[in-house]
Amino acid sequence: MAGLDKTTPTPQDITVHSQSRVLQISFSDGSDFRIPFELMRVFSPSAEVQGHGPGQEVLQTGKREVDIVALEPVGNYAVQPTFSDGHDSGIFSWDYLYFLGSQQDALWADYQQRLLQAGVDRDAAMPEKAGSACGSHSH
């Protein structure tokens, strides 16, 4: 399960920088990452963003100005941020945060590519939800 990998370095210090909108995390292996809130929000591990299976991911847009308004610990393995857009269902394990921090250049490139393929702008408003994303589709 995510966050329980014993080889993953553990956070030594976590700081929410509201002005610059980054989460700064120092890990036990000496790594120090500054992860933009937008990147965290776009790559939230929640079902709302990731879907319930491959190909069901929901492309997130309009998150450049998102803030973290609360950051709650989850056991000794993760944190659960509440974002200013109300999203609060993502649980970010230590190994997932390490992944986001260490791979952010590749993740940004992937995000830009998905935006391009979808023909949408990074700052476009998210479409309004029409019912449950997990509901059945009528034929």
Side-chain angles (χ1 to χ4, degrees):
M1 180 178 187
L4 304 179
D5 183 346
K6 299 296 179 223
T7 63
T8 299
T10 53
Q12 304 301 298
D13 191 37
I14 300 177
T15 307
V16 175
H17 294 285
S18 296
Q19 288 293 102
S20 53
R21 292 190 178 89
V22 296
L23 186 73
Q24 183 173 4
I25 308 177
S26 302
F27 282 92
S28 56
D29 68 349
S31 298
D32 187 69
F33 301 120
R34 294 175 63 86
I35 306 170
F37 296 166
E38 180 184 12
L39 184 77
M40 291 178 65
R41 179 61 183 84
V42 165
F43 285 96
S44 173
S46 71
E48 180 184 329
V49 173
Q50 296 300 324
H52 293 284
Q56 293 186 5
E57 301 84 3
V58 177
L59 183 62
Q60 303 295 303
T61 56
K63 306 303 179 189
R64 186 191 306 254
E65 303 296 320
V66 76
D67 286 317
I68 290 179
V69 295
L71 190 67
E72 299 297 324
V74 177
N76 291 318
Y77 68 94
V79 290
Q80 186 169 8
T82 299
F83 292 92
S84 57
D85 66 355
H87 180 72
D88 64 359
S89 58
I91 295 177
F92 291 75
S93 63
W94 302 150
D95 52 351
Y96 192 65
L97 286 168
Y98 195 93
F99 165 76
L100 289 178
S102 63
Q103 302 298 314
Q104 58 182 300
D105 289 346
L107 290 169
W108 276 123
D110 174 67
Y111 178 53
Q112 296 289 347
Q113 184 62 39
R114 287 191 295 143
L115 289 170
L116 193 63
Q117 287 173 340
V120 294
D121 184 78
R122 172 180 172 194
D123 295 314
M126 286 291 293
E128 290 297 316
K129 289 183 192 156
S132 173
C134 303
S136 61
H137 299 272
S138 56
H139 295 262

